């Protein structure tokens, strides 16, 4: 008897994770589970906990590099309609983990609510974007997050709110496994003005990022006061290729995956870039993308 007996509708075994990453890379998960409701999520989490099955959660896979060997245990994706909701209440919105960040930005524009324009062009889910405190030079998501609803590994639901909630450069102090929803505090503004900002950010991204390639955004975090991309560029690494993985000519902090690329190619290229930047500038580049092996 399987630990997920009775949940066959939402559980798949040996499921290829390459279908769920922006890189289009990654081996199989032992179990791939798409809970449709919080109750189903809790059921899956409790059964996994009781059976000591490792559990991970995937959003839109836009910040992930998953190894060619895949991952053991269960990978959960919160993509049922219940997890895609966004409920507006005055100048606040409660967005659920599986909602698409870029759609939420545009809905907020329509509602005349400003505060998350900085997320324009960032292709993540709300859950993944809260976890990563996604953002950049225009601001980050954390500054709008007022409270989050979380679930721990044992299936307990609880909330965490500011000031207990801390957001930093591409990280938060949320340790609970699952982000269920986030309440964002926004402010009323002229929709045309917000849209102008969104368009400006979008044009900037289009001009500076290789958006027509398979990638995972910036591979490395910027070391304090320096741009990782500038260091990689100055080390002469633009265009460096290993297997079918290549350092983008357009933005040196992006690694694009060509046809037939394996995660192993990207991992080897990451190691090569790190080595060269260390040799040239004595800087240790830290990963911004998350590697699942
Ligand atoms: C073209 C491109 C441009 C990008 N530009 C930017 C940028 O400008 N700024 C930036 O910050 N990022 C950028 N990224 C990276 C990425 O889009 C963001 O980090 C995004 O917020 C990740 O969201 P996701 O849903 O894809 O998360 P995933 O990649 O699926 O997961 C990322 C992490 O979040 C966790 N996670 C996902 N969902 C949940 C949940 N419900 N509960 C708890 N944990 C969860 C995962 O376990 C994992 O640890 C870019 C990526 C691409 C491909």
């Amino acid at each position: 008897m399987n630990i997920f007996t009775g949940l066959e509708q939402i559980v798949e075994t040996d499921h290829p994770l390459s279908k769920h990453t922006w890189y289009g890379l990654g081996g199989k998960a032992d179990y791939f589970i798409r809970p449709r409701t919080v109750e189903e999520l809790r059921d899956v989490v409790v059964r996994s906990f009781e059976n000591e099955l490792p559990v991970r959660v995937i959003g839109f896979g836009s910040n992930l590099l998953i190894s060619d060997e895949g991952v053991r245990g269960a990978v959960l994706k919160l993509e049922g309609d219940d997890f895609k909701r966004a409920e507006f209440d005055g100048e606040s919105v409660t967005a659920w983990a599986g909602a698409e960040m870029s759609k939420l930005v545009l809905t907020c524009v329509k509602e005349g609510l400003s505060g998350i324009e900085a997320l324009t062009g960032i292709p993540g889910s709300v859950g993944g974007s809260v976890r990563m405190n996604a953002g950049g030079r225009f601001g980050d998501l954390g500054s709008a997050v007022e409270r989050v609803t979380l679930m721990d590994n044992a299936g307990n639901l609880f909330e965490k709110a500011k000031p207990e909630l801390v957001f930093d450069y591409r990280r938060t102090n949320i340790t609970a496994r699952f982000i269920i929803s986030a309440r964002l505090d926004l402010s009323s503004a002229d929709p045309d003005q917000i849209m102008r900002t969104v368009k400006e950010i979008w044009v900037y991204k289009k001009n500076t990022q290789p958006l027509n390639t398979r990638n995972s955004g910036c591979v490395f975090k910027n070391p304090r006061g320096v741009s990782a991309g500038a260091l990689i560029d100055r080390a002469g690494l633009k265009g460096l290729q290993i297997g079918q993985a290549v350092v983008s000519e357009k933005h040196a902090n992006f690694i694009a995956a060509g046809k037939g690329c394996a995660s192993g190619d990207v991992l080897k290229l990451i190691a090569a870039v790190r080595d060269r930047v260390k040799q040239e500038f004595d800087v240790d580049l830290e990963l911004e993308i998350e590697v699942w092996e």
Side-chain angles (χ1 to χ4, degrees):
M1 182 155 108
N2 183 301
I3 70 168
F4 297 118
T5 297
L7 294 176
E8 288 77 7
Q9 272 195 322
I10 59 165
V11 178
E12 289 171 74
T13 50
D14 290 329
H15 182 83
L17 295 171
S18 54
K19 290 183 177 176
H20 304 278
T21 60
W22 267 67
Y23 259 132
L25 300 176
K28 292 176 178 173
D30 294 339
Y31 298 97
F32 189 77
I33 311 181
R34 306 176 215 231
R36 292 164 295 193
T37 60
V38 172
E39 291 67 36
E40 263 182 5
L41 172 64
R42 184 187 286 128
D43 190 4
V44 168
V45 169
V46 168
R47 291 190 201 202
S48 304
F49 185 68
E50 286 172 356
N51 288 277
E52 294 179 18
L53 187 76
V55 171
R56 302 171 193 247
V57 57
I58 193 168
F60 292 174
S62 64
N63 201 51
L64 289 179
L65 177 62
I66 301 179
S67 79
D68 298 315
E69 288 70 40
V71 293
R72 307 290 62 84
V75 174
L76 275 54
K77 185 161 182 176
L78 308 183
E79 65 175 14
D81 287 346
D82 266 17
F83 291 113
K84 288 187 187 158
R85 279 176 289 157
E87 288 157 0
F88 288 85
D89 175 17
E91 292 192 332
S92 296
V93 59
T94 300
W96 290 64
E100 191 175 333
M101 206 59 238
S102 54
K103 273 194 190 151
L104 185 65
V105 170
L106 293 178
T107 313
C108 287
V109 174
K110 273 197 215 131
E111 298 281 332
L113 291 169
S114 166
I116 54 167
E117 301 82 277
L119 277 293
T120 301
I122 301 183
S125 65
V126 166
S129 302
V130 171
R131 169 70 79 204
M132 296 307 305
N133 186 19
R137 63 169 59 213
F138 304 100
D140 57 37
L141 181 57
S143 49
V145 177
E146 195 262 322
R147 66 177 57 234
V148 287
T149 302
L150 306 169
M151 185 184 283
D152 66 18
N153 274 335
N156 302 304
L157 271 178
F158 59 101
E159 288 199 336
K160 196 164 176 166
K162 277 185 172 163
E164 198 197 347
L165 203 50
V166 178
F167 290 95
D168 219 328
Y169 176 46
R170 300 296 86 79
R171 62 168 294 279
T172 87
N173 64 344
I174 297 171
T175 52
R177 175 68 75 199
F178 302 97
I179 296 161
I180 307 291
S181 65
R183 185 180 150 109
L184 311 179
D185 262 353
L186 307 169
S187 51
S188 296
D190 171 22
D192 292 339
Q193 179 56 47
I194 315 173
M195 196 55 181
R196 271 196 289 279
T197 308
V198 165
K199 282 186 181 159
E200 275 167 29
I201 296 175
W202 180 242
V203 168
Y204 173 83
K205 300 240 161 168
K206 237 178 95 188
N207 289 336
T208 55
Q209 298 182 355
L211 298 181
N212 56 347
T213 64
R214 282 159 56 199
N215 65 74
S216 208
C218 287
V219 173
F220 302 102
K221 287 186 179 175
N222 292 322
R224 199 172 285 273
V226 208
S227 143
L231 291 179
I232 299 166
D233 190 5
R234 276 165 47 207
L237 300 177
K238 274 188 172 174
L240 181 69
Q241 182 163 354
I242 294 185
Q244 294 307 315
V246 61
V247 176
S248 166
E249 294 278 0
K250 195 164 182 181
H251 190 316
N253 200 4
F254 278 57
I255 290 180
K259 205 162 178 257
C261 187
S263 295
D265 296 342
V266 182
L267 285 169
K268 282 183 207 146
L269 189 53
I270 286 173
V273 168
R274 270 181 156 161
D275 282 353
R276 286 281 290 279
V277 168
K278 176 75 179 165
Q279 276 169 22
E280 292 273 335
F281 307 109
D282 195 24
V283 171
D284 290 305
L285 287 178
E286 196 187 322
L287 281 181
E288 174 166 331
I289 60 167
E290 198 174 305
V291 178
W292 285 6
E293 354 190 40

